[in-house]
Structure formats: C-alpha cells, structure tokens
Amino acid sequence: MRRLWLLAWAAAAGAASAQNVCPHASEVRQAEMLGLWHAEFEDAKLSGTLVLEKHATYADSLSGTIERGTVRRPVSGEVEDGEFTLEESADGVRISGTWLGEVVEGSCGREIRGTWSVDGEGKDARAFVLRKQ
C-alpha cells in the first residue's frame, strides 16, 4: 500500500513540475498571452497598458485594448512560432497601428520585443517592449 502511495505521489509531483516548465519562445500560444501587459516605447515618455483576451470569433487569436493616457483603442492579433502580431484601430474599423515582435527567449512568454508603426507602413516606427504584469 505504501508503495502505491509513493508511486501516486511521484506521478503527481512529476505532472506538477511539467506544468511549471518555461515554454520555448516558439511554443508560446494564446493562453500565455492572455492578461495585463505593460507597454514601453523607445521614447520613455510614451507607455501604455495592454489587456489581451481570447478573440470572440477566431479561436487561437487575441483581442483587447491598448490604453495610452486617456486614449483607448481596440486591438487584435496572434502569436505563432514566437512571432507576435497585433493591430490597433483608432476608429474600430481601419488599422491605425501595427505591432510586430518576438517573444523573448527565456521569458516564459512574459516579454515581447519588437517595433510598433503607424498603419503598419513603417511610419513613426518605435521599438517597444511588452511585459506581462
């Protein structure tokens, strides 16, 4: 009986430790992206708060909002193979900004670095860092 208990305990401990393993950047999926993020731009005067949720229509995609000061805009995007793409909109229809970045290796999906640009055309491009709160 004691041996069965020890085997069950060892199996449970192994499963718990497997769940706590930090995923490789290319393994980060939607689930790790959900929640509150802090955005910092190369211009230290500009920062924001990003809230990411499951997209209502597209199962593996993200949606949410970016808030910079008093301005709040809707966003939608995805993470695939460690690459992060997010589009924001000033009017809820057209793309007004594009975030292109990569999950930082060793961050367990809690940090993304890349470039934000106006309309995705490289205008007013700024480096950004997103950190999960």
Side-chain angles (χ1 to χ4, degrees):
M1 181 71 137
R2 180 174 165 85
R3 184 166 188 231
L4 288 176
W5 180 84
L6 285 173
L7 287 173
W9 177 81
S17 96
Q19 292 174 348
N20 294 331
V21 173
C22 179
H24 186 275
S26 66
E27 298 171 331
V28 172
R29 299 290 179 257
Q30 177 203 58
E32 288 88 13
M33 300 300 300
L34 304 178
L36 182 65
W37 293 77
H38 179 72
E40 294 178 5
F41 296 86
E42 68 184 353
D43 176 354
K45 297 174 189 172
L46 186 60
S47 65
T49 301
L50 183 64
V51 177
L52 295 176
E53 304 168 336
K54 291 181 180 181
H55 196 286
T57 306
Y58 304 106
D60 294 329
S61 294
L62 304 159
S63 66
T65 57
I66 177 72
E67 190 171 317
R68 292 184 205 95
T70 60
V71 177
R72 187 179 207 175
R73 295 181 171 176
V75 296
S76 63
E78 60 188 21
V79 63
E80 186 174 338
D81 294 327
E83 294 181 9
F84 175 77
T85 304
L86 196 70
E87 296 171 337
E88 67 179 87
S89 176
D91 62 8
V93 178
R94 292 179 293 268
I95 297 170
S96 59
T98 302
W99 305 64
L100 300 174
E102 294 182 2
V103 176
V104 174
E105 191 60 57
S107 73
C108 302
R110 300 185 64 81
E111 185 171 318
I112 298 169
R113 292 181 178 263
T115 305
W116 174 89
S117 63
V118 174
D119 299 330
E121 296 177 5
K123 296 180 202 167
D124 194 27
R126 297 176 186 207
F128 72 81
V129 177
L130 290 176
R131 291 188 180 92
K132 193 166 189 183
Q133 302 299 297

